[in-house]
Amino acid sequence: MKLPELKKDNKLFWLYIVIGIVFILFGAILVPLWKNVEWAPWKNWSTTIVNLIIAVFLSIYLFGFLIRKITRTRGQTLKILTIIEFVLLLLVDLYLILGQWIPALNIIPGSDKGACAITGLALWIRGCVEVFRAYFYRKDTNENYPIWWLCIALGFVSVGMWMLVKPFISNETITWIFVCLFFVLGICSIAYGIYSKPSKKQKDK
């Protein structure tokens, strides 16, 4: 897998800067410290939309990566396993989205650590499917399955089950993780926008 090239003289450089600013603003709004500020209309966002943020990232994985993997996977068994993973994670994604407005769907115990539990469920599903894929990989492709990826899959299964059965990360901590992630993505996006800004000579052309 090749990393994307950082091209200079990008005419859409301004878009990266705008996206970066939006990321930083959204990260600032999600800071849990706002919950003590009465005048801020977004003071409760850090506790109420954490599941939606997880759902967004899960949707990006499903529709940005996994659905393409289904079309490119060789071997009928491997393709079926990938489809099973897609369906199961899609159900988790729908649970996160619908549970935001239908409280009766929030069946995961521990309201202050529910995000950790549901993240653990997603990791467990991802790991289990990958372990089965490793078993059938050699039969379908006559190639050796990467041992390092199998170790990661087993790690997903173990950590995912731990997070699901005994959640240990509070929703507030997960929110802080997302805040830091949004700040990092925002800074990187702005930096790339500035880096890729066309030079004056390029504009003249």
Side-chain angles (χ1 to χ4, degrees), residues 7 15 26 28 42 48 56 62 64 72 76 80 82 96-97 103-104 119 134 138-139 156 173:
K7 296 182 179 179
L15 183 59
F26 194 59
W42 56 81
T48 57
V56 169
L62 285 171
R72 296 175 181 177
Q76 192 67 24
I80 291 173
T82 308
L96 288 168
I97 296 170
T119 303
R138 184 172 177 81
K139 290 184 178 180
F156 281 170
T173 302

Side-chain angles (χ1 to χ4, degrees), residues 38-67:
E38 293 296 329
W39 56 264
W42 56 81
K43 63 181 180 180
N44 294 322
W45 283 19
S46 62
T47 55
T48 57
I49 67 171
V50 61
N51 280 359
L52 281 181
I53 298 173
I54 296 174
V56 169
F57 280 96
L58 190 55
S59 296
I60 292 172
Y61 169 72
L62 285 171
F63 297 100
F65 169 75
L66 200 58
I67 201 166

Side-chain angles (χ1 to χ4, degrees), residues 7 42-43 68-69 71 74 82 91 108 126-127 138-139 154 156 165 170 172 175 184 192-193 195 197:
K7 296 182 179 179
W42 56 81
K43 63 181 180 180
R68 288 190 298 173
K69 187 174 181 179
T71 60
R74 293 177 295 167
T82 308
L91 290 175
I108 300 289
R126 179 73 185 87
R138 184 172 177 81
K139 290 184 178 180
L154 292 173
F156 281 170
V165 175
S170 67
E172 184 172 326
T175 302
V184 170
Y192 176 68
Y195 168 81
K197 182 179 180 181

Side-chain angles (χ1 to χ4, degrees), residues 20-40:
I21 293 172
V22 171
F23 272 134
I24 291 174
L25 288 176
F26 194 59
I29 289 174
L30 280 181
V31 171
L33 298 177
W34 287 110
K35 64 184 178 182
N36 298 320
V37 181
E38 293 296 329
W39 56 264

Side-chain angles (χ1 to χ4, degrees), residues 179-193:
V179 167
C180 294
L181 180 62
F182 282 128
F183 274 118
V184 170
L185 289 175
I187 292 170
C188 290
S189 183
I190 292 173
Y192 176 68

Side-chain angles (χ1 to χ4, degrees), residues 9 11 198-205:
D9 301 326
K11 293 181 179 179
S199 61
K200 291 183 179 179
K201 293 181 179 179
Q202 187 71 16
K203 287 182 179 179
D204 295 337
K205 291 180 181 179

Side-chain angles (χ1 to χ4, degrees), residues 67-112:
I67 201 166
R68 288 190 298 173
K69 187 174 181 179
I70 292 173
T71 60
R72 296 175 181 177
T73 298
R74 293 177 295 167
Q76 192 67 24
T77 306
L78 294 177
K79 189 180 288 289
I80 291 173
L81 285 172
T82 308
I83 292 172
I84 290 173
E85 179 187 354
F86 181 87
V87 172
L88 291 176
L89 289 180
L90 181 61
L91 290 175
V92 174
D93 202 22
L94 291 174
Y95 166 85
L96 288 168
I97 296 170
L98 296 177
Q100 194 70 28
W101 293 280
I102 308 176
L105 290 177
N106 293 321
I107 58 175
I108 300 289
S111 58
D112 64 325

